[in-house]
Amino acid sequence: MILAYFRSLAARFLDRSQTETELEEELRAHIRLRTDDLERSGLSRPDAERRARIEFGGHERFKEECRAAIAGNFIDILIQDVRFSVRMLRKSRGFTVIVVLTIALGIGATTAIFSVVDATLLQPLPYPQSQQLVSIQADLPAIGAHDVGMSQPELQDFQQSGIFEYVSPAWFDENNLTGSAQPARVRIVSVAPSYFALLRAQPELGRTFDPQHNLPGYLPEVVISDALWKRSFGGDPNILDKSIRMDTDLYRIIGVMPPGFDSPGRNSEERNIEVWAATSFYGPPLPDHPVRNRRNLPTLIARLKPGSTIASAQNQLDGLVASVQNQFAGDYPNGWRVRLLPLKETVVGDVRQPLLLLLAAVAVVLLIGCVNVANLLLARASARTHEMAIRRALGAGQNRLTRQLLTESLLLSLLGGIAGIGTLFLAQESLLRLVPETLPRLNQISISWSVLIFALLTSMLSGIIFGLAPALHASRLDLIHVLNQEGRASTGSGERVQTRRVLVVTELALSLVLMISAGLLLHSFWDLLNVQLGFNPQSVMSVRTRMPYPNDVKIDKYATAAQEAPFIRELLRRCRSLSGVEEAALGDPASIPLDQSQRELNGLEGKFFLTFDGQRAQPEAPSMVERSRVTPEYFHLVGIPLRRGRLFNEFDEDTSPQVAVVNEAFARVYWPNEDAIGKRFKSTRPNSPWVTVVGVIANARTQSLAQSDVPQLYLNVYQNPAKHLAIFLRGHLDIASIADQVREQVQTLDPTLPVFGAQTLRATVSEFLLQRRFSMEMVGAFALTALLLAALGIYGVISYLVSERTHEIGIRLALGAQRSNILRIILHQGLTLAFAGALVGLVCALIVSHLMASLLYGVRPTDPLTFASVALLFLAVALFACYLPARRAMRVDPMIALRYE
């Protein structure tokens, strides 16, 4: 009996007819009455009160019964709400389809971009305890040089410092793999023996290098990738201890890494590694006694000791750097600063801002979609006002109605989310092809659980956002006023109309922000496409090969310029004889204009510090420059004109004094107000010869389309041999067959050399713009989608106002109003909203444009042409969206309108 009483209390609490406090007061009153009864039966007052509390169980039993009642009824109520929502949505199938498609578009696009952001920026690197992995970067602050690399003695300093658990360079390169039907190029990375211990990576087969090994030279062992194992060795399970020959050197395979494992690379040439080789970075083919100021090693990666943080390690490192500078002061005339960065930041590089811009853009599209759906739901709520009033009159609580409306909006959002995710699953391969290959961690982009959870949460949040407005308005329903309408169609409250107008202004403003952002990116991209390159990429193709680089320099048949020259001269002669070839030249990867990935192969070997004869470089100018090594024919072939002096000629050989050609920017930076011809400089590396400037060429955008005045230095390949070679051909070339023709000529001269990377110079320039193009296209697509949604939003509001005022329009026409007056009234309402949205959008766009200034070239963030043209387009679309319902209002028949209910 007492238990039944508690349940009745809980039921009343659940129905909200009484508050919890009121029910607790009632419970205490019953306990007092029971105490009085027990005291009259002979018990003492304390005993009677204790027994009464035991019988009733105090507040705890009441709370437990409340919880049980709530839990038991919540599922039933939820199922009932969902069933009712399904019935209501089935009755309005057109409305349901429009809403689901709108949400599917927003959720699908947002999830697609989030999957890229998640893989690139949010997910940790795929190595155990990856938060302990850092990049060690060195700067020379006195000359403004950053990330200048390391020398082998500096590497040893860090390895022996006790600050890190392991330290290793990662020297990315290409090698010639021979022994198969055709010599092949393989991507290789030279690392310290502790590299795999540093990453805590385990092989699929075999073992990795011994982390304690520290003998000079390369280990005669390599670890290969799963892809190379399956492609070149057919997945042979007995691959261990088999030998392969790379650059004429013999290596034993000791391990195979698992599928999906890769080195933490920053660009496409540092990913998809196929071979890992280990060295101590001194001894053949490197110097036996490397000097401290020759920084030929790339940025180091390291693992912090357990329990250490980047901040504490940086403090220790600062002390070590100061000590080394004091001890070897002569090696650090420009100072030396070493920074620790999370390795993930180094891998991600400079793509963070473009990706966050895309995520923000697609989030705006989703928000505009939510606002549009909220408008539709408000319009639908107006039509259902009478229904809601009747349900209230029949006893439904206000909370129940609000919950019902939120359930409908959540159901719509979940259906839209499922449709968006399903579409994304079906189209993910096609969408991945749109992502530029230069994006880091591209192979990790997938529809993972984190992405699905994001999509689910976004769907639910969207449902709450667009369902909140109609639910709040339903909670403020004037029951008597609505029921007194006696069945007439509701025209909606003024508050609801005002809310719809605010929502439309919001989505108009958001769409204008996206449109202006896309306009700025488009303007910037157009300017980049139309800049004067300073060279002529028309009808030029590059094909690459690589000379062997054996560990034993004594067997290197291309060790010197004199040994390499006969091969180069004969190769050029043969290439000129190919069908359609008018000119041929040769250079290193750095000489391929705008080919950033191949320029990385030159690495720090292609960059060095200069000493000038008779003077030093200007203090504010960086003296670390990038060199390119080319044959004399190169400048004419690529179309870079000579300004002063001469170009290389046949007399510039390895036995003659070394000469150089520089661009105008180089001459202006290092010899301002002087003639650069005849000036001399040399590398700061030991035993480097003096180099005389014999020619000055025009500036060309060979390193960046955004900069034409980057100092450029060209050396003669006949005096400075290069291992990585690019063969340039100009003429009426057969793109499909020219690579095979060049391969035949190269391998006739040396059958061990691979030939690869055939690409037109036009395609190289286009690839340079891939990342910018991707950002522009995505933001542009989102902006057009936002504009469409905004146009639909304002069209919906004006259409609703027209239908709402049909009776009024009929009266106006019956009283003699001109149809043009009706048009003017309706357009005025629509354009008022459009101008309000434009004003808010312009203010927001000014803020956003300054945040994206680093993504722009040749365009100010406040570019008036872009702002004005986009605003005019925006207002034109809004005017058209208003005109369609306004035209319908002009055609209203007064007799029909007067009978309109």
Side-chain angles (χ1 to χ4, degrees), residues 286-347:
L286 299 172
D288 290 328
H289 303 286
V291 295
R292 184 168 288 274
N293 63 359
R294 184 177 182 184
R295 295 179 177 84
N296 61 337
L297 302 183
T299 297
L300 308 180
I301 62 174
R303 179 175 288 276
L304 300 177
K305 285 200 165 185
S308 178
T309 64
I310 293 181
S312 63
Q314 183 69 64
N315 288 334
Q316 294 177 290
L317 196 58
D318 291 342
L320 173 65
V321 168
S323 174
V324 169
Q325 287 190 88
N326 289 333
Q327 186 177 356
F328 304 98
D331 292 315
Y332 299 100
N334 298 312
W336 188 42
R337 184 180 64 187
V338 178
R339 294 175 291 126
L340 294 183
L341 297 173
L343 183 59
K344 183 180 175 182
E345 287 190 15
T346 307
V347 171

Coordinates of all heavy atoms in Angstrom, one line a residue, residues 286-347:
L286 N 80.0 9.9 -47.5 CA 80.2 11.2 -46.9 C 81.6 11.4 -46.3 O 82.3 10.4 -46.2 CB 79.1 11.3 -45.8 CG 77.6 11.3 -46.2 CD1 76.7 11.2 -45.0 CD2 77.3 12.4 -47.1
P287 N 81.9 12.6 -45.9 CA 83.3 12.8 -45.4 C 83.6 12.0 -44.2 O 82.7 11.8 -43.3 CB 83.3 14.3 -45.1 CG 82.3 14.9 -46.0 CD 81.2 13.9 -46.1
D288 N 84.8 11.5 -44.0 CA 85.2 10.8 -42.8 C 85.3 11.7 -41.6 O 85.0 11.2 -40.5 CB 86.6 10.1 -43.0 CG 86.6 9.0 -44.1 OD1 85.5 8.3 -44.1 OD2 87.5 8.8 -44.8
H289 N 85.6 12.9 -41.8 CA 85.7 13.9 -40.7 C 84.9 15.1 -41.1 O 85.4 16.2 -41.4 CB 87.2 14.2 -40.4 CG 88.0 13.0 -40.1 ND1 87.9 12.3 -38.9 CD2 88.9 12.4 -40.9 CE1 88.8 11.3 -39.0 NE2 89.4 11.3 -40.2
P290 N 83.6 15.1 -40.9 CA 82.7 16.2 -41.3 C 83.0 17.4 -40.4 O 83.3 17.3 -39.3 CB 81.3 15.7 -41.1 CG 81.4 14.5 -40.2 CD 82.8 13.9 -40.4
V291 N 82.9 18.6 -41.1 CA 83.1 19.8 -40.3 C 81.8 20.4 -39.8 O 80.8 20.1 -40.3 CB 83.8 20.8 -41.2 CG1 85.2 20.4 -41.6 CG2 83.0 21.1 -42.5
R292 N 81.9 21.2 -38.8 CA 80.8 21.6 -38.0 C 79.9 22.6 -38.9 O 78.7 22.7 -38.7 CB 81.2 22.2 -36.7 CG 80.1 22.7 -35.8 CD 80.6 23.0 -34.4 NE 81.0 21.8 -33.7 CZ 80.1 21.1 -33.0 NH1 78.9 21.5 -32.9 NH2 80.5 20.0 -32.4
N293 N 80.6 23.4 -39.7 CA 79.8 24.4 -40.4 C 79.3 24.0 -41.8 O 78.8 24.8 -42.5 CB 80.6 25.7 -40.5 CG 81.9 25.5 -41.4 OD1 82.1 24.4 -41.9 ND2 82.7 26.6 -41.6
R294 N 79.4 22.7 -42.1 CA 78.8 22.2 -43.3 C 77.5 21.5 -43.0 O 77.5 20.3 -42.6 CB 79.8 21.3 -44.1 CG 79.1 20.8 -45.4 CD 80.0 20.0 -46.2 NE 79.3 19.7 -47.5 CZ 79.8 18.9 -48.4 NH1 81.0 18.3 -48.2 NH2 79.2 18.6 -49.5
R295 N 76.4 22.2 -43.1 CA 75.1 21.7 -42.7 C 74.4 21.0 -43.8 O 73.6 21.5 -44.5 CB 74.3 22.8 -42.1 CG 74.9 23.4 -40.8 CD 74.1 24.5 -40.2 NE 74.7 24.9 -39.0 CZ 75.7 25.8 -38.9 NH1 76.2 26.3 -40.0 NH2 76.3 26.1 -37.8
N296 N 74.8 19.8 -44.1 CA 74.3 19.0 -45.3 C 73.2 18.0 -44.8 O 72.7 17.3 -45.7 CB 75.4 18.3 -46.0 CG 76.1 17.3 -45.1 OD1 76.1 17.4 -43.9 ND2 76.7 16.3 -45.7
L297 N 72.9 18.0 -43.5 CA 71.8 17.1 -43.1 C 70.5 17.9 -42.9 O 70.5 19.1 -42.6 CB 72.2 16.5 -41.7 CG 73.5 15.7 -41.6 CD1 73.6 15.1 -40.2 CD2 73.5 14.6 -42.7
P298 N 69.4 17.3 -43.3 CA 68.1 18.0 -43.2 C 67.7 18.1 -41.7 O 68.4 17.7 -40.8 CB 67.2 17.0 -43.9 CG 67.8 15.7 -43.8 CD 69.3 15.9 -43.8
T299 N 66.5 18.7 -41.5 CA 65.9 18.8 -40.2 C 65.9 17.5 -39.5 O 65.5 16.4 -40.0 CB 64.5 19.4 -40.3 OG1 64.6 20.7 -40.9 CG2 63.8 19.5 -39.0
L300 N 66.2 17.5 -38.2 CA 66.3 16.2 -37.4 C 64.9 16.0 -36.8 O 64.1 16.9 -36.5 CB 67.3 16.4 -36.3 CG 68.7 16.8 -36.7 CD1 69.6 16.8 -35.5 CD2 69.3 15.8 -37.7
I301 N 64.6 14.7 -36.5 CA 63.5 14.3 -35.7 C 64.0 13.6 -34.5 O 65.1 13.0 -34.5 CB 62.5 13.5 -36.5 CG1 63.1 12.2 -36.9 CG2 61.9 14.2 -37.7 CD1 62.1 11.2 -37.6
A302 N 63.3 13.7 -33.4 CA 63.7 13.1 -32.1 C 62.5 12.7 -31.3 O 61.4 13.2 -31.5 CB 64.6 14.2 -31.4
R303 N 62.8 11.8 -30.4 CA 61.8 11.4 -29.4 C 62.3 11.9 -28.0 O 63.4 11.6 -27.6 CB 61.6 9.9 -29.3 CG 60.6 9.5 -28.3 CD 60.3 8.0 -28.4 NE 59.5 7.7 -29.5 CZ 58.2 7.7 -29.6 NH1 57.5 8.2 -28.5 NH2 57.5 7.4 -30.7
L304 N 61.4 12.7 -27.4 CA 61.8 13.2 -26.0 C 61.8 12.0 -25.0 O 61.2 11.0 -25.2 CB 60.7 14.2 -25.5 CG 60.5 15.4 -26.4 CD1 59.4 16.3 -25.8 CD2 61.8 16.2 -26.4
K305 N 62.6 12.2 -24.0 CA 62.7 11.2 -23.0 C 61.4 11.1 -22.2 O 60.6 12.1 -22.1 CB 63.8 11.5 -22.0 CG 65.2 11.2 -22.6 CD 66.2 11.1 -21.5 CE 67.5 10.5 -22.0 NZ 68.5 10.2 -20.9
P306 N 61.0 9.9 -21.7 CA 59.7 9.8 -21.0 C 59.6 10.8 -19.9 O 60.6 11.0 -19.1 CB 59.8 8.3 -20.5 CG 60.7 7.6 -21.4 CD 61.7 8.6 -21.8
G307 N 58.5 11.4 -19.8 CA 58.2 12.4 -18.7 C 58.7 13.8 -19.1 O 58.4 14.8 -18.4
S308 N 59.4 13.9 -20.2 CA 59.9 15.3 -20.6 C 58.8 16.0 -21.4 O 58.1 15.3 -22.1 CB 61.2 15.1 -21.4 OG 61.7 16.4 -21.8
T309 N 58.8 17.3 -21.4 CA 58.0 18.1 -22.2 C 58.8 18.9 -23.2 O 60.0 19.0 -23.0 CB 57.1 19.1 -21.4 OG1 58.0 20.0 -20.7 CG2 56.3 18.3 -20.3
I310 N 58.1 19.4 -24.2 CA 58.9 20.2 -25.2 C 59.5 21.5 -24.6 O 60.6 21.9 -24.9 CB 57.9 20.6 -26.4 CG1 57.5 19.4 -27.2 CG2 58.6 21.7 -27.3 CD1 56.6 19.7 -28.4
A311 N 58.7 22.1 -23.6 CA 59.2 23.3 -22.9 C 60.5 23.0 -22.1 O 61.5 23.7 -22.2 CB 58.1 23.9 -22.1
S312 N 60.5 21.9 -21.4 CA 61.6 21.6 -20.6 C 62.8 21.1 -21.4 O 64.0 21.5 -21.2 CB 61.3 20.4 -19.6 OG 60.9 19.2 -20.2
A313 N 62.5 20.4 -22.5 CA 63.6 20.0 -23.4 C 64.2 21.2 -24.1 O 65.4 21.3 -24.3 CB 63.1 19.0 -24.4
Q314 N 63.3 22.2 -24.5 CA 63.8 23.4 -25.1 C 64.8 24.2 -24.2 O 65.8 24.7 -24.6 CB 62.7 24.3 -25.5 CG 63.1 25.6 -26.2 CD 63.6 25.3 -27.6 OE1 62.9 24.8 -28.5 NE2 64.9 25.7 -27.8
N315 N 64.4 24.3 -22.9 CA 65.3 24.9 -21.9 C 66.7 24.3 -21.8 O 67.7 24.9 -21.8 CB 64.7 24.9 -20.5 CG 63.5 25.9 -20.4 OD1 63.4 26.9 -21.2 ND2 62.5 25.6 -19.5
Q316 N 66.7 22.9 -21.8 CA 68.0 22.2 -21.8 C 68.7 22.4 -23.1 O 70.0 22.6 -23.0 CB 67.7 20.7 -21.5 CG 67.1 20.4 -20.2 CD 66.8 18.9 -20.1 OE1 65.9 18.4 -20.7 NE2 67.6 18.2 -19.3
L317 N 68.0 22.4 -24.2 CA 68.6 22.6 -25.5 C 69.3 24.0 -25.6 O 70.4 24.1 -26.2 CB 67.6 22.4 -26.6 CG 68.1 22.1 -28.0 CD1 69.1 20.9 -28.0 CD2 67.0 21.9 -28.9
D318 N 68.6 25.0 -25.1 CA 69.2 26.4 -25.1 C 70.5 26.4 -24.4 O 71.5 27.1 -24.9 CB 68.2 27.3 -24.5 CG 66.9 27.5 -25.3 OD1 67.0 27.2 -26.5 OD2 65.9 28.0 -24.7
G319 N 70.6 25.7 -23.3 CA 71.9 25.7 -22.6 C 73.0 25.0 -23.4 O 74.1 25.4 -23.4
L320 N 72.6 23.9 -24.0 CA 73.6 23.1 -24.9 C 74.0 24.0 -26.0 O 75.2 24.0 -26.4 CB 72.9 21.8 -25.4 CG 73.7 21.0 -26.4 CD1 75.0 20.5 -25.8 CD2 72.9 19.9 -27.0
V321 N 73.1 24.7 -26.7 CA 73.5 25.5 -27.8 C 74.4 26.6 -27.4 O 75.4 26.9 -28.1 CB 72.2 26.1 -28.5 CG1 72.5 27.2 -29.4 CG2 71.4 25.0 -29.2
A322 N 74.1 27.3 -26.3 CA 75.0 28.3 -25.8 C 76.4 27.8 -25.5 O 77.5 28.4 -25.8 CB 74.4 29.0 -24.5
S323 N 76.5 26.6 -24.9 CA 77.8 26.0 -24.6 C 78.6 25.6 -25.9 O 79.8 25.9 -26.0 CB 77.6 24.7 -23.8 OG 78.8 24.0 -23.6
V324 N 77.9 25.1 -26.9 CA 78.5 24.8 -28.2 C 79.0 26.0 -28.9 O 80.1 26.0 -29.5 CB 77.6 24.0 -29.1 CG1 78.1 23.8 -30.5 CG2 77.3 22.6 -28.5
Q325 N 78.2 27.1 -28.9 CA 78.7 28.3 -29.5 C 79.9 28.9 -28.9 O 80.8 29.4 -29.5 CB 77.5 29.3 -29.5 CG 76.4 29.0 -30.5 CD 75.4 30.2 -30.6 OE1 75.6 31.1 -31.4 NE2 74.4 30.2 -29.8
N326 N 80.0 28.8 -27.6 CA 81.2 29.3 -26.9 C 82.4 28.5 -27.2 O 83.5 29.0 -27.3 CB 80.9 29.3 -25.3 CG 79.9 30.4 -24.9 OD1 79.8 31.4 -25.6 ND2 79.2 30.1 -23.8
Q327 N 82.2 27.2 -27.3 CA 83.3 26.3 -27.5 C 83.8 26.3 -29.0 O 85.0 26.2 -29.3 CB 82.8 24.8 -27.2 CG 84.0 23.8 -27.3 CD 83.5 22.4 -26.9 OE1 82.4 22.2 -26.5 NE2 84.4 21.4 -26.9
F328 N 82.9 26.6 -29.9 CA 83.3 26.6 -31.3 C 82.8 27.9 -31.9 O 82.0 28.0 -32.9 CB 82.6 25.5 -32.1 CG 83.0 24.1 -31.6 CD1 82.1 23.4 -30.7 CD2 84.2 23.5 -31.9 CE1 82.4 22.2 -30.2 CE2 84.5 22.2 -31.4 CZ 83.6 21.6 -30.5
A329 N 83.2 29.0 -31.4 CA 82.8 30.3 -31.8 C 83.1 30.6 -33.2 O 82.3 31.3 -33.9 CB 83.4 31.4 -30.9
G330 N 84.2 30.2 -33.8 CA 84.5 30.4 -35.2 C 83.6 29.8 -36.2 O 83.5 30.2 -37.3
D331 N 82.8 28.8 -35.8 CA 81.9 28.1 -36.7 C 80.5 28.7 -36.6 O 79.6 28.3 -37.4 CB 81.8 26.6 -36.3 CG 83.1 25.8 -36.6 OD1 83.6 26.0 -37.6 OD2 83.5 25.1 -35.7
Y332 N 80.3 29.7 -35.8 CA 79.0 30.3 -35.6 C 79.0 31.8 -35.7 O 78.6 32.5 -34.7 CB 78.3 29.8 -34.4 CG 78.1 28.3 -34.3 CD1 79.0 27.5 -33.6 CD2 77.1 27.7 -35.0 CE1 78.8 26.1 -33.5 CE2 76.9 26.3 -34.9 CZ 77.8 25.6 -34.2 OH 77.6 24.2 -34.2
P333 N 79.6 32.4 -36.8 CA 79.7 33.8 -36.9 C 78.3 34.5 -37.0 O 78.2 35.7 -36.7 CB 80.5 34.1 -38.1 CG 80.2 32.9 -39.0 CD 80.1 31.7 -38.0
N334 N 77.3 33.8 -37.5 CA 76.0 34.3 -37.6 C 75.0 33.9 -36.5 O 73.8 34.0 -36.7 CB 75.4 33.9 -39.0 CG 76.2 34.4 -40.1 OD1 76.5 35.6 -40.2 ND2 76.6 33.5 -41.0
G335 N 75.6 33.4 -35.4 CA 74.7 33.0 -34.3 C 74.2 31.6 -34.6 O 74.4 31.0 -35.7
W336 N 73.5 31.0 -33.7 CA 72.9 29.7 -33.9 C 71.7 29.6 -32.9 O 71.9 29.8 -31.7 CB 73.9 28.6 -33.7 CG 73.5 27.2 -34.1 CD1 72.8 26.9 -35.2 CD2 73.8 26.0 -33.4 NE1 72.6 25.5 -35.2 CE2 73.2 25.0 -34.1 CE3 74.5 25.8 -32.2 CZ2 73.3 23.6 -33.7 CZ3 74.6 24.4 -31.8 CH2 74.0 23.4 -32.5
R337 N 70.6 29.2 -33.4 CA 69.4 29.0 -32.5 C 68.7 27.7 -33.0 O 68.6 27.5 -34.2 CB 68.4 30.2 -32.7 CG 67.2 30.1 -31.7 CD 66.3 31.3 -31.9 NE 65.7 31.3 -33.2 CZ 64.9 32.3 -33.7 NH1 64.7 33.3 -32.9 NH2 64.4 32.2 -34.9
V338 N 68.4 26.9 -32.0 CA 67.7 25.6 -32.3 C 66.3 25.6 -31.6 O 66.2 26.0 -30.5 CB 68.6 24.5 -31.8 CG1 67.9 23.2 -32.0 CG2 70.0 24.5 -32.4
R339 N 65.4 25.3 -32.4 CA 64.0 25.2 -32.0 C 63.4 23.8 -32.0 O 63.7 23.0 -32.9 CB 63.1 26.1 -32.9 CG 63.4 27.6 -32.8 CD 62.6 28.4 -33.9 NE 63.0 28.1 -35.2 CZ 62.1 27.6 -36.2 NH1 60.9 27.4 -35.9 NH2 62.6 27.4 -37.4
L340 N 62.6 23.5 -31.0 CA 61.9 22.3 -31.0 C 60.4 22.5 -31.4 O 59.8 23.4 -30.8 CB 61.9 21.6 -29.6 CG 63.3 21.1 -29.1 CD1 63.1 20.5 -27.8 CD2 63.9 20.2 -30.1
L341 N 59.9 21.8 -32.3 CA 58.5 21.9 -32.7 C 57.9 20.5 -32.7 O 58.6 19.5 -33.0 CB 58.4 22.4 -34.2 CG 58.9 23.8 -34.4 CD1 58.9 24.1 -35.9 CD2 58.1 24.9 -33.6
P342 N 56.6 20.4 -32.3 CA 56.0 19.1 -32.5 C 56.1 18.6 -33.9 O 55.9 19.3 -34.9 CB 54.5 19.4 -32.1 CG 54.5 20.6 -31.3 CD 55.7 21.4 -31.8
L343 N 56.5 17.3 -34.0 CA 56.7 16.8 -35.4 C 55.5 16.9 -36.2 O 55.6 17.1 -37.5 CB 57.1 15.3 -35.3 CG 57.5 14.6 -36.6 CD1 58.6 15.3 -37.3 CD2 57.8 13.1 -36.3
K344 N 54.3 16.8 -35.6 CA 53.1 16.9 -36.4 C 53.0 18.3 -37.1 O 52.5 18.4 -38.2 CB 51.9 16.7 -35.5 CG 50.5 16.7 -36.2 CD 49.4 16.5 -35.2 CE 48.1 16.7 -35.9 NZ 46.9 16.5 -35.0
E345 N 53.4 19.4 -36.4 CA 53.4 20.7 -37.1 C 54.3 20.7 -38.3 O 53.9 21.4 -39.3 CB 53.8 21.7 -36.0 CG 52.7 22.0 -35.0 CD 53.1 23.3 -34.2 OE1 54.0 24.0 -34.6 OE2 52.5 23.4 -33.1
T346 N 55.4 20.1 -38.2 CA 56.3 20.1 -39.3 C 55.7 19.3 -40.5 O 55.8 19.7 -41.7 CB 57.6 19.4 -38.9 OG1 58.2 20.1 -37.8 CG2 58.7 19.5 -40.0
V347 N 55.1 18.2 -40.2 CA 54.4 17.4 -41.3 C 53.3 18.1 -41.9 O 53.2 18.1 -43.1 CB 54.0 16.0 -40.7 CG1 53.1 15.2 -41.7 CG2 55.2 15.2 -40.2

